[in-house]
Amino acid sequence: MIIARTPEELRAARDALGPVSFVPTMGALHAGHIALIEAAKAAGLPVAASIFVNPTQFGPKEDFARYPRDEAGDIDQLEKAGCALVWLPSADIMYPPKSATSIMLLGPALHWEGTARPGHFSGVATVVAKLFSQVRPATAYFGEKDWQQVQVVSRMVADLCLPVEIVPVPTVREVDGLALSSRNRYLSPPERKAAPRLYTALTRAAQDILAGKEVAATLHHARQELALAGMVPDYVALVHANTLEPISGLVRPARLIAAAKLGNVRLLDNVAVG
Ligand code: PAF
C-alpha cells in the first residue's frame, strides 16, 4: 500500500495507479469503513482511502480535540483490507494559511444535522471537494449511516459538476442493531446497552407508517420510546430521502431519520421506509 503525505507523493501514486475508487475517512476505522473499502474493491478499481480529522466540520463545543486518533492502527487495517493507497494530508495541506474559500449549502443541508450543527456540512462539503480535487477518484464511497451527509455530498457533486460518482453503502450494525460509529466507544456499558433502542424505534416506526398509521402520532411515539430508553431525542423525522424535506405522509422515496443524545454521545441513525 502506498502511503502519501505530500501532494507530490499523492501525484506519483495517482500516476502509478491510474483511476481509483475513493473512501474518505476521519480514521478511527471500524467494520463500517472496511465495508466501504470492500464495496469499492468489488467494483474493480484500485482503492484509495484518506485519513484526515477535519477541524472545520466540528463545532466549537464538539469533540475535535478528543476525536479518536490511531494512525498506525488505521494504516494497518487499510493495508489488510487491500487498499492500494492511503492519503494522509496535514492540516496545513488541507487549509493553507491564506485559505479563504468554503462551500455554502442549501437544500438537503438545511435541516436536521444542518440545524443542530451549524457549519458542519459546509466543513464536510469543503473538505470532500478538496479531497476529490487532490485524489481525483472515478467513484467515492460513503456510508448510509450518515444519510444526510450522502445526500449533501451527492447534491454538491451534481451542482459543481464534479467528475466523480457517489456510491452509498448500507449501514453496518452490531448484532443488536446499533449502527457502527467511531463515537460508540464513548458509551458507558449501560448506555451501550440502551443505544440499539434507537434502531428498534426507527424500524418499528417505519413498519407502522407502512401499515398506514398516522405519521405525526408514529413519530411522537418513537420519540417517547427514545426518552424511555434514557435518550434525549433531538429529532425523529420522516423526510424525502434525497431532499431531506420533512413529509407528513408517505411519499416515496422516504427515509426515517433520527438523532438523540445518550449521555455525552450524539447517536444518529436512519432507515428506509418501503
Ligand atoms: O464521514 C466522515 O468520516 C467525514 O464526514 C468525511 C466524509 C471523511 C469528511 O471529513
Side-chain angles (χ1 to χ4, degrees), residues 194-206:
R197 290 174 69 181
L198 177 58
Y199 179 58
T200 315
L202 282 176
T203 43
R204 195 175 358 249

Side-chain angles (χ1 to χ4, degrees), residues 53-268:
V53 185
N54 173 34
T56 65
Q57 68 187 78
F58 291 79
K61 293 192 183 139
E62 294 183 15
D63 57 345
F64 173 67
R66 68 178 189 122
Y67 194 82
R69 288 161 171 90
D70 175 17
E71 188 185 282
D74 289 342
I75 291 176
D76 191 45
Q77 287 199 59
L78 292 174
E79 178 127 50
K80 288 193 178 120
C83 247
L85 161 68
V86 57
W87 169 224
L88 297 163
S90 65
D92 267 7
I93 289 174
M94 296 311 288
Y95 298 104
K98 288 182 185 151
S99 297
T101 306
S102 67
I103 294 178
M104 199 272 277
L105 304 143
L106 299 169
L110 279 180
H111 305 298
W112 321 119
E113 292 308 288
T115 313
R117 304 179 68 189
H120 168 69
F121 283 128
S122 176
V124 169
T126 304
V127 82
V128 168
K130 284 169 183 258
L131 290 166
F132 284 173
S133 310
Q134 293 162 334
V135 177
R136 301 189 203 163
T139 52
Y141 289 71
F142 288 82
E144 290 185 351
K145 152 84 169 47
D146 294 305
W147 182 266
Q148 190 174 5
Q149 171 171 277
V150 180
Q151 305 315 313
V152 167
V153 169
S154 300
R155 188 68 259 157
M156 172 192 75
V157 162
D159 291 347
L160 299 182
C161 312
L162 301 181
V164 53
E165 183 196 344
I166 302 301
V167 184
V169 177
T171 304
V172 179
R173 297 181 181 282
E174 303 280 5
V175 279
D176 59 10
L178 177 65
L180 295 197
S181 161
S182 304
R183 290 184 173 105
N184 288 351
R185 67 188 74 189
Y186 301 145
L187 294 166
S188 68
E191 288 164 356
R192 172 62 191 83
K193 211 165 159 218
R197 290 174 69 181
L198 177 58
Y199 179 58
T200 315
L202 282 176
T203 43
R204 195 175 358 249
Q207 280 160 10
D208 287 352
I209 290 170
L210 281 173
K213 288 207 179 136
E214 211 229 328
V215 171
T218 306
L219 299 180
H220 178 71
H221 182 67
R223 278 189 282 271
Q224 282 180 326
E225 277 184 78
L226 299 184
L228 280 174
M231 301 183 200
V232 180
D234 179 353
Y235 56 81
V236 180
L238 180 68
V239 299
H240 184 285
N242 306 122
T243 66
L244 273 290
E245 283 296 326
I247 49 182
S248 53
L250 187 51
V251 181
R252 288 189 169 88
R255 202 89 190 172
L256 264 172
I257 59 169
K261 201 94 190 276
L262 181 56
N264 288 323
V265 182
R266 186 179 161 78
L267 298 175
L268 272 192

Side-chain angles (χ1 to χ4, degrees), residues 4-15:
R5 293 183 187 270
T6 65
E8 295 70 33
E9 287 169 357
L10 180 63
R11 202 169 307 127
R14 267 197 337 246
D15 290 348

